[in-house]
Amino acid sequence: MLIKVLLPLAIPRSYTYSVPEELQSQIAFGIRVEIPLRRKLYSGIVTHLDAETEDLVNPKSIISIMDRQPIVTETQLKLWQWMADYYCCSLGQVMNIAIPSGLKLHSETRISPMQKLDDHLANLTNDNEFMIAEAILNNGEISIDEIAKILGKKSVYPTIKSLLDQGLITTAEHLIEKYKPKTQDFIQFAEAYRSKSKSMDEAFNLTTKSEKQTQTLLALLTLSPTLDWVDKGDLYKKVQTDSTVINTLIKKGIVIKEKFEVSRINSNHLEVDALPPMSDAQTQAYKQIISYFEEDKNVLLFGVTGSGKTRIYTEIIQEVIDRGEQVLFLLPEIALTTQLVQRLTVTFGSDVGVYHSRLDQHRRVELYKSALEGNPIFIGARSSIFLPFKKLGLIVVDEEHDPSYKQSDPAPRYQGRDTALYLSQLTGARVILGSATPSMETYLNGINGKLGVVNLIHRYGEAVLPDIDIVDLKQMHDSKMMRSMFSSPLLHAMKTALNQGEQILLFQNRRGYSPTLQCGTCEWNAGCPNCDVSLTTHKYYDELRCHYCGYRHKTPQECPACGSIKLSKIGFGTEKIEDELGKYLKEAKIARLDYDTAKTKAQFESLIYDFEHQNIDILIGTQMITKGLDFDNIGLVGVLLADKIMNFPDFRANERAFQLFTQVAGRAGRRKKKGKVIIQTYNPSHAVIQETLKVDYAGYYKRELAEREEFRYPPYYRQILLTLKHKQQEKCISVADFLAERLKAHLGSRVIGPAVPSINRIRNQYITLITIKMEQDWDTIKTIKEIIKKEIHSVKSEKNASTVRININVDP
């Protein structure tokens, strides 16, 4: 019997393996099997039964079967195959990011003693060899990592090789099981008391001399009136007891203790609140969505910030789970899950599962398996698209415009929103794409009728959209009306808001203290040694940091080039804003929300809690504060420097700027009070600034779409970006020239470049870009992708090009 096995590796195809006769009855699609490959062991997924093999290939045999039930569905495999084809990568690369790491196993080399090691131990004169040999004899078997710890060094292979050459040790591969079920101790009355052959009075008579033992028995009776098993942790919470008391009760024959496997998923039965009634506008939008669903159309819910899209989502989610189907609620950032999970948990209780990459591998495995078992609701970032749903009925893609839905590395470089739409075709689930500022692609699909469009043009309840003021920074500087990075109108508005008991959000999309440290004498700049960027000053840590590669250096007190002490911190980030603002608003409680202050989920939740409960007056943040957060008391939002976002060298710069300005403005005045937004800019006449000022959605989309069509950009044309990387710039450019020449021979003017980006070195790798623009024709696109893959393979086979890394990014 031959089967095809898929491995989470960047290899062109699945491998064929044979199945021993004694295992053939257990083989099934979607289960994991243990297989040998290149002197290592891996777990792979069975994708085909009754496979055939090529001539000259002698398939190896699988070693064992690891699952009783499939962990991958046929629908998942179809999705993976589509992603591999569409995003120009291997099926193994898709599997690598789709399966939780706890289910992807690989082998570890273990060292074992040969029979003669004991006799030869005394003859070993090398100290390292003696220490290893002694450890192996004492333990019977030891890993290479353990050897490295014993010797206190990384390079241990020469010593191991020496012992191997002497025939004193041997090596073997063992599969590492990463996922371990969680177990907990449970307590129960002994059989005699459960069967009533002994009365409870007898049990209490045995504990009369110990108040703690008596209290423990009373607590056990309270927690389990039916004398069932009780979680030891629940018992500890109920009464001040400990393991010594429990063990004594076990010795007296009153209770017994057992370990049971338990879920890491929170299964507490939470009290569920009834949903508040929908407004007339929400009811109308809900009816329109249902009508489109009945026409088998997916929907764009185009609702202004604060219009109450989440309330409509919950109504439809309730209907879906009442039908016994599952719901996937996608969010662009893990950070957004905090507030939304709280809201959905209040409505749906413990049915809500939260899945994202920051969970520990054990919890991810259990959530993954719970999707197979039919858990109703999952909230997560883009990776949750890979869950093995049993019966998916609805996918909500909230903030669908957000660039975080696009994966940059590793392959597949997929777009979560587009993948969700394809998944809906495979499962029959309906999709709601929600946004106040839809992406150009989604907006055009709405205009063309590919999506049903439902508009929510007013905020929920009595809330209204905020007033927006534009401040001309050039005029402010000329009139000497600037205080550090704050204009007089912004400072005045902040003081007014604070006097009225309102909170303030300040937006600057750059963390750290200042982006550039420069010498005023010789104009030296502090640059990263690994990347072609300036190091950002972080005052709190007294460090210069690279936000691309993570390089750090102590902040110098004098110029390393000329010795001058005239070092200037140019520009400003969130840390400097916090520092400077304290000088002008000394009584205000100020905090920052950026990657430096909210690296962990706990830190983020703590900041959000403090702001929500008005323990913070002013919150300064990067784009983290623009995404979906909902607070009652924000009276003012300030954008400190709009120009950096608009002037970014990217065809999507205007789109990103309009979305960011509109989203951050939408945080203001979300309840009864009308909020205010102040945008500081050196270019107040810029089209995006004016469209934001007038809340002119129609004008913005009309202008931007016309420019995209004229210059052959998405959504009218498709793009593929080829990124070439190498530590030698000359080699990177020469290979890019060679590849571009070959591609132009097939594709002509569709190929643009090669070009060197503005930041052309990151992590000591030089970068060169080739862009391919394609017509919106699926046959043409498919042909072009095949040409690209063929030419890259051909170029990589050249001797001088084999070390150049070439990444394919479809729909960048």
Side-chain angles (χ1 to χ4, degrees):
M1 182 182 185
L2 298 178
I3 58 171
K4 290 282 187 184
V5 178
L6 178 62
L7 298 170
L9 304 172
I11 48 181
R13 63 178 74 177
S14 300
Y15 282 103
T16 303
Y17 283 87
S18 66
V19 183
E21 189 173 348
E22 65 273 14
L23 297 179
Q24 290 180 8
S25 62
Q26 303 171 48
I27 282 290
F29 170 88
I31 65 171
R32 290 176 302 162
V33 291
E34 183 182 357
I35 56 96
L37 178 67
R38 295 185 301 217
R39 290 177 294 178
K40 282 187 173 289
L41 303 177
Y42 290 89
S43 64
I45 300 287
V46 177
T47 59
H48 294 86
L49 307 178
D50 301 322
E52 295 181 358
T53 187
E54 303 286 338
D55 294 337
L56 307 178
V57 175
N58 184 22
K60 295 179 181 178
S61 174
I62 69 168
I63 296 169
S64 67
I65 292 174
M66 305 180 65
D67 301 301
R68 293 182 180 179
Q69 300 293 330
I71 65 162
V72 169
T73 66
E74 292 189 14
T75 300
Q76 276 180 290
L77 188 62
K78 289 177 184 175
L79 179 68
W80 297 359
Q81 188 62 65
W82 173 81
M83 293 181 74
D85 292 341
Y86 187 83
Y87 292 106
C88 300
C89 63
S90 71
L91 196 57
Q93 287 173 302
V94 181
M95 177 189 170
N96 185 46
I97 66 165
I99 297 288
S101 60
L103 295 176
K104 293 180 298 189
L105 312 183
H106 60 84
S107 64
E108 178 186 58
T109 301
R110 308 284 294 183
I111 312 297
S112 303
M114 296 292 278
Q115 284 186 347
K116 60 180 181 177
L117 177 60
D118 201 1
D119 298 332
H120 286 72
L121 182 63
N123 299 328
L124 293 173
T125 56
N126 183 291
D127 289 344
N128 288 340
E129 291 180 10
F130 183 85
M131 289 170 67
I132 292 174
E134 191 173 44
I136 292 170
L137 284 171
N138 290 337
N139 293 280
E141 190 178 71
I142 195 168
S143 72
I144 290 178
D145 285 344
E146 288 167 336
I147 289 172
K149 288 179 182 178
I150 291 168
L151 297 182
K153 56 171 68 174
K154 292 181 180 179
S155 179
V156 297
Y157 288 98
T159 309
I160 293 171
K161 185 177 183 301
S162 175
L163 291 171
L164 283 168
D165 291 344
Q166 296 175 59
L168 301 179
I169 61 171
T170 184
T171 63
E173 295 292 324
H174 294 268
L175 205 60
I176 306 168
E177 179 68 71
K178 296 181 183 178
Y179 169 69
K180 293 181 181 178
K182 182 180 178 182
T183 59
Q184 285 177 197
D185 288 333
F186 283 78
I187 311 298
Q188 186 184 52
F189 280 103
E191 171 63 26
Y193 297 98
R194 283 182 284 124
S195 64
K196 308 295 185 183
S197 62
K198 289 187 178 182
S199 70
M200 283 297 165
D201 289 341
E202 292 181 65
F204 282 103
N205 286 336
L206 293 172
T207 64
T208 52
K209 293 182 180 179
S210 170
E211 186 179 347
K212 278 193 174 183
Q213 292 176 26
T214 302
Q215 288 176 346
T216 302
L217 289 187
L218 284 169
L220 190 59
L221 275 172
T222 305
L223 289 169
S224 178
T226 58
L227 307 182
D228 281 337
W229 292 103
V230 170
D231 187 333
K232 187 174 75 174
D234 292 340
L235 192 60
Y236 283 4
K237 289 176 187 175
K238 183 77 175 174
V239 65
Q240 293 295 318
T241 190
D242 54 39
S243 58
T244 306
V245 175
I246 300 294
N247 290 335
T248 303
L249 292 174
I250 292 170
K251 286 179 182 178
K252 290 182 177 182
I254 301 173
V255 301
I256 57 175
K257 182 173 72 173
E258 287 284 345
K259 278 190 183 295
F260 291 107
E261 187 176 320
V262 296
S263 172
R264 291 179 173 86
I265 303 168
N266 182 14
S267 57
N268 296 330
H269 293 288
L270 303 169
E271 289 190 15
V272 175
D273 290 349
L275 291 168
M278 289 194 293
S279 66
D280 291 342
Q282 288 173 325
T283 302
Q284 181 63 27
Y286 162 78
K287 289 178 179 177
Q288 284 181 276
I289 292 170
I290 297 302
S291 176
Y292 281 125
F293 282 178
E294 289 170 353
E295 297 174 17
D296 286 334
K297 265 192 173 181
N298 294 320
V299 172
L300 163 61
L301 180 55
F302 191 166
V304 298
T305 54
S307 57
K309 295 186 286 294
T310 305
R311 176 63 186 86
I312 298 170
Y313 297 151
T314 54
E315 190 73 22
I316 297 171
I317 288 170
Q318 186 65 64
E319 290 191 6
V320 172
I321 62 175
D322 285 346
R323 294 198 301 265
E325 297 174 345
Q326 293 170 290
V327 176
L328 172 60
F329 200 121
L330 286 175
L331 290 164
E333 297 265 7
I334 297 167
L336 294 187
T337 59
T338 303
Q339 280 194 323
L340 190 69
V341 168
Q342 288 173 352
R343 291 182 186 178
L344 293 186
T345 301
V346 164
T347 305
F348 301 109
S350 56
D351 285 343
V352 178
V354 183
Y355 187 88
H356 53 73
S357 59
R358 288 193 190 174
L359 293 173
D360 68 76
Q361 63 183 12
H362 302 297
R363 188 170 170 81
R364 288 191 83 191
V365 168
E366 293 191 5
L367 282 162
Y368 182 91
K369 290 182 175 179
S370 74
L372 271 173
E373 294 162 2
N375 188 74
I377 305 170
F378 287 90
I379 302 175
R382 61 174 182 261
S383 60
S384 54
I385 203 85
F386 297 110
L387 287 168
F389 295 100
K390 187 176 182 181
K391 192 178 182 183
L392 187 61
L394 174 69
I395 306 173
V396 177
V397 186
D398 199 26
E399 309 293 348
E400 66 80 28
H401 64 275
D402 198 287
S404 298
Y405 280 120
K406 174 70 175 177
Q407 166 126 329
S408 54
D409 276 308
R413 295 170 180 85
Y414 68 100
Q415 164 58 254
R417 175 198 62 225
D418 298 345
T419 306
L421 289 167
Y422 186 79
L423 180 61
S424 75
Q425 294 180 31
L426 293 176
T427 60
R430 296 271 62 91
V431 180
I432 303 175
L433 305 175
S435 179
T437 52
S439 64
M440 287 293 159
E441 289 80 0
T442 299
Y443 185 80
L444 187 61
N445 283 335
I447 292 174
N448 294 340
K450 293 179 181 178
L451 294 170
V453 180
V454 177
N455 293 296
L456 275 172
I457 59 174
H458 298 293
R459 285 187 154 186
Y460 179 76
E462 298 177 36
V464 293
L465 289 170
D467 291 326
I468 301 177
D469 292 343
I470 307 299
V471 172
D472 186 341
L473 286 175
K474 185 178 184 303
Q475 187 181 33
M476 289 293 111
H477 279 290
D478 291 345
S479 306
K480 301 191 185 312
M481 295 177 69
M482 291 296 295
R483 300 293 179 270
S484 188
M485 67 282 295
F486 313 109
S487 63
S488 291
L490 179 57
L491 267 177
H492 176 73
M494 284 194 281
K495 290 174 182 176
T496 302
L498 291 172
N499 289 335
Q500 294 174 351
E502 296 172 342
Q503 292 170 288
I504 300 164
L505 279 183
L506 294 180
F507 171 64
Q508 168 70 353
N509 206 25
R510 186 184 288 276
R511 62 188 173 95
Y513 191 82
S514 66
T516 305
L517 182 69
Q518 187 177 71
C519 175
T521 303
C522 70
E523 297 187 345
W524 164 87
N525 279 314
C528 176
N530 308 315
C531 312
D532 284 343
V533 294
S534 296
L535 292 170
T536 300
T537 305
H538 285 256
K539 187 177 179 181
Y540 178 80
Y541 299 105
D542 192 24
E543 283 183 343
L544 300 174
R545 293 186 175 185
C546 177
H547 292 171
Y548 285 84
C549 72
Y551 173 81
R552 298 179 179 187
H553 192 282
K554 193 79 173 172
T555 305
Q557 300 304 307
E558 59 182 39
C559 175
C562 71
S564 170
I565 59 170
K566 294 180 180 179
L567 296 178
S568 303
K569 298 178 177 72
I570 300 171
F572 60 91
T574 52
E575 190 181 11
K576 187 173 183 178
I577 297 166
E578 181 184 25
D579 201 28
E580 291 291 303
L581 193 57
K583 299 175 184 177
Y584 300 103
L585 302 172
K586 295 180 180 179
E587 302 301 317
K589 291 171 284 187
I590 305 168
R592 276 186 294 132
L593 180 61
D594 55 31
Y595 182 74
D596 295 322
T597 61
K599 286 181 181 178
T600 66
K601 185 172 180 280
Q603 288 175 320
F604 178 84
E605 288 179 354
S606 176
L607 279 166
I608 294 301
Y609 178 88
D610 284 343
F611 193 69
E612 198 165 21
H613 289 79
Q614 299 180 30
N615 299 324
I616 297 170
D617 298 319
I618 304 174
L619 187 61
I620 303 158
T622 56
Q623 60 181 347
M624 292 172 78
I625 67 171
T626 71
K627 299 183 179 184
L629 297 174
D630 185 10
F631 301 105
D632 294 348
N633 194 44
I634 297 175
L636 174 68
V637 170
V639 178
L640 293 180
L641 186 60
D643 306 81
K644 286 285 185 184
I645 301 164
M646 297 184 297
N647 297 335
F648 198 75
D650 184 349
F651 76 91
R652 296 189 193 274
N654 282 348
E655 180 180 2
R656 298 275 188 262
F658 183 80
Q659 289 166 348
L660 274 171
F661 298 156
T662 304
Q663 292 287 340
V664 75
R667 303 310 111 202
R670 293 173 73 93
R671 294 299 180 264
K672 293 182 181 180
K673 290 183 181 180
K674 188 173 187 177
K676 186 170 187 175
V677 179
I678 294 179
I679 300 176
Q680 298 186 156
T681 175
Y682 286 99
N683 191 3
S685 61
H686 194 287
V688 171
I689 295 290
Q690 290 300 311
E691 287 153 357
T692 305
L693 173 65
K694 298 170 186 174
V695 198
D696 185 8
Y697 292 98
Y700 155 70
Y701 282 109
K702 183 179 179 182
R703 176 190 57 77
E704 189 68 20
L705 284 173
E707 288 183 9
R708 298 281 186 91
E709 187 171 24
E710 180 182 357
F711 294 103
R712 298 168 58 197
Y713 279 118
Y716 294 100
Y717 284 76
R718 308 303 284 267
Q719 275 194 357
I720 293 178
L721 181 67
L722 305 182
T723 303
L724 291 84
K725 297 180 180 180
H726 197 269
K727 61 184 178 182
Q728 296 175 12
Q729 187 172 23
E730 298 79 8
K731 180 173 282 191
C732 187
I733 292 173
S734 66
V735 172
D737 287 337
F738 182 49
L739 176 58
E741 186 180 330
R742 295 183 66 117
L743 289 172
K744 286 174 182 177
H746 296 283
L747 307 177
S749 61
R750 295 186 183 94
V751 181
I752 300 169
V756 174
S758 55
I759 300 174
N760 79 320
R761 184 174 60 104
I762 296 176
R763 295 185 178 90
N764 275 325
Q765 296 280 308
Y766 288 93
I767 302 168
T768 308
L769 306 175
I770 300 172
T771 303
I772 296 98
K773 291 184 178 180
M774 307 170 290
E775 302 88 331
Q776 286 277 24
D777 175 78
W778 288 113
D779 289 337
T780 302
I781 292 170
K782 185 177 180 181
T783 302
I784 289 173
K785 286 178 180 177
E786 290 303 319
I787 291 170
I788 290 170
K789 288 190 285 187
K790 181 182 176 182
E791 291 302 330
I792 288 176
H793 180 74
S794 179
V795 168
K796 291 279 285 182
S797 65
E798 297 285 332
K799 183 179 178 181
N800 292 329
S802 60
T803 56
V804 176
R805 184 175 167 189
I806 305 175
N807 293 335
I808 305 175
N809 190 354
V810 178
D811 300 336

